[in-house]
Amino acid sequence: MSLLSDLVNLDLSDSTEKIIAEYIWIGGSGLDIRSKARTLSGPVSDPSELPKWNYDGSSTGQAPGKDSEVILHPQAIFRDPFRRGNNILVVCDAYTPAGEPIPTNKRHAAAKIFNHPEVSAEVPWYGIEQEYTLLQKDIKWPIGWPIGGFPGPQGPYYCGVGVDKAFGRDIVDAHYKACLYAGVNISGINGEVMPGQWEFQVGPSVGISAGDELWVARYILERITEIAGVALSFDPKPIQGDWNGAGAHTNYSTKSMRNEGGYEVIKKAIQKLEYRHEKHIAAYGEGNERRLTGRHETADINTFSWGVANRGASVRVGRDTEKEGKGYFEDRRPASNMDPYVVTSMIAETTILWKP
């Protein structure tokens, strides 16, 4: 096994200029992450220098067998924390051979919104709080929980320290450092309210890059849990009962919100979100009705609300934002399994482009 480990960690830079590019895309379920690797003749720093590639869409639920070719368009490059050196991770989106985005390509529509002059002028910032649950591989039960049983009630686990409170910290820290190495703008991590559940934050990121960075951070986490022999869940309510669910709270601001008088802009934006509450909820993740119950730091899924420092509201405004009269707000409705391309672009579209 030591020889295998040596070969896995082999530094290629002394023997060849060639590099390995891992192309990453989103599969047919909208949440499954796929990837495959190819050799390139030398280092690459811009996605436009990378070749397009194809894959069998009939094996990912994205094309029929009789016309199965789907084309990958490279969109963003990150350093590869697994192979290291000049090797790279490449975030791609998917198109038909005729150049049309396939139905599961949510990045294409998001990019159109972020490239709109009114949106780009506002320089939208996002900070996404990605919650997730680590599960025992064979029984799909949270790590640290007794098999067939339950731990003590919630309370000591949030940001907890100790062998009986924090389960999986080695995975979490490995992911944190791997994201920093890759160039993901990861801003922090913490243990969550339910034991075995954790959170990482990506941002502040501008526009479409928020989605790119969250997807590659999810990919890196999937790879690390694969190595650790632990299952990863983005289910918004992995355990029924008196346990917190998992969300992807999305913090948001525009240039106008960050400038003097921004609090009034924020309140108008929140009012727009209220008008389109049902539309947003429909796009904010599968199974979210199991999470948004009005309990466990959530608002009821059918009722829009907002408040200052209120974690039981649909939208929360921070005390500092209220005090300074400018800043950002937090949309607490997105589920942990949401598509960040959909959520970030929809918030921008509603608050900047939509004219009620």
Side-chain angles (χ1 to χ4, degrees):
M1 289 301 292
S2 61
L3 177 58
L4 179 61
S5 178
D6 288 344
L7 290 173
V8 167
N9 296 307
L10 192 64
D11 184 358
L12 301 177
S13 60
D14 293 335
S15 57
T16 180
E17 292 184 359
K18 293 180 179 179
I19 68 161
I20 302 171
E22 189 80 26
Y23 279 43
I24 301 165
W25 72 96
I26 301 157
S29 73
L31 189 63
D32 58 313
I33 302 174
R34 311 288 180 125
S35 76
K36 60 177 183 171
R38 68 182 298 165
T39 305
L40 301 177
S41 59
V44 177
S45 59
D46 192 288
S48 64
E49 301 171 11
L50 290 166
K52 295 174 184 176
W53 204 7
N54 67 75
Y55 67 92
D56 172 17
S58 69
S59 295
T60 62
Q62 293 171 297
K66 62 183 180 182
D67 186 15
S68 64
E69 194 167 285
V70 180
I71 312 301
L72 293 171
H73 290 209
Q75 300 291 356
I77 292 175
F78 296 86
R79 292 185 294 275
D80 187 339
F82 303 102
R83 298 187 177 104
R84 288 172 273 191
N86 290 321
N87 303 302
I88 56 176
L89 305 177
V90 183
V91 174
C92 305
D93 58 356
Y95 296 80
T96 68
E100 295 296 319
I102 64 173
T104 52
N105 179 354
K106 306 303 182 185
R107 190 187 191 281
H108 182 265
K112 279 188 174 181
I113 291 171
F114 286 121
N115 288 331
H116 190 287
E118 289 182 51
V119 176
S120 58
E122 284 288 351
V123 195
W125 288 2
Y126 297 91
I128 302 174
E129 306 169 27
Q130 175 69 70
E131 295 177 340
Y132 59 94
T133 309
L134 299 174
L135 304 176
Q136 300 171 56
K137 181 181 65 173
D138 296 324
I139 60 173
K140 300 298 174 67
W141 197 239
I143 63 170
W145 290 38
I147 296 174
F150 296 87
Q154 295 183 153
Y157 310 109
Y158 171 69
C159 297
V161 178
V163 70
D164 57 344
K165 304 178 191 70
F167 310 118
R169 190 185 296 277
D170 52 347
I171 293 171
V172 175
D173 275 349
H175 176 250
Y176 196 174
K177 291 182 177 180
C179 283
L180 287 171
Y181 178 93
V184 174
N185 191 22
I186 187 170
S187 48
I189 55 97
N190 61 268
E192 268 303 328
V193 178
M194 189 184 86
Q197 194 175 88
W198 294 81
E199 172 185 300
F200 67 88
Q201 303 93 33
V202 168
S205 303
V206 179
I208 197 73
S209 64
D212 291 339
E213 292 185 13
L214 190 68
W215 273 116
V216 82
R218 285 175 172 177
Y219 169 81
I220 292 170
L221 184 56
E222 288 273 18
R223 287 284 305 277
I224 290 171
T225 54
E226 173 189 321
I227 293 166
V230 170
L232 173 64
S233 173
F234 291 113
D235 190 291
K237 188 72 173 178
I239 305 295
Q240 295 303 307
D242 195 17
W243 304 98
N244 275 37
H249 302 155
T250 302
N251 299 274
Y252 170 70
S253 71
T254 63
K255 188 176 181 181
S256 298
M257 295 175 191
R258 297 187 293 269
N259 289 340
E260 295 301 322
Y263 193 37
E264 292 304 312
V265 179
I266 287 172
K267 288 191 285 187
K268 289 177 182 176
I270 293 173
Q271 188 176 49
K272 285 184 172 184
L273 290 174
E274 180 176 10
Y275 291 154
R276 298 184 100 187
H277 177 62
E278 290 184 4
K279 182 180 177 68
H280 280 253
I281 286 294
Y284 273 16
E286 293 293 326
N288 214 8
E289 72 282 351
R290 293 183 282 116
R291 167 180 163 261
L292 297 180
T293 62
R295 299 182 64 217
H296 303 113
E297 302 181 65
T298 70
D300 181 81
I301 194 169
N302 297 309
T303 307
F304 183 90
S305 60
W306 77 278
V308 176
N310 184 358
R311 283 181 162 76
S314 308
V315 171
R316 180 184 68 89
V317 174
R319 289 284 182 204
D320 287 345
T321 295
E322 181 189 43
K323 181 180 178 181
E324 295 175 13
K326 60 184 178 180
Y328 71 97
F329 65 83
E330 174 192 40
D331 191 338
R332 296 179 59 81
R333 297 171 295 172
S336 51
N337 59 3
M338 63 81 158
D339 187 324
Y341 294 133
V342 172
V343 169
T344 57
S345 62
M346 182 175 279
I347 292 173
E349 180 187 32
T350 294
T351 60
I352 300 172
L353 298 179
W354 185 57
K355 314 297 181 188

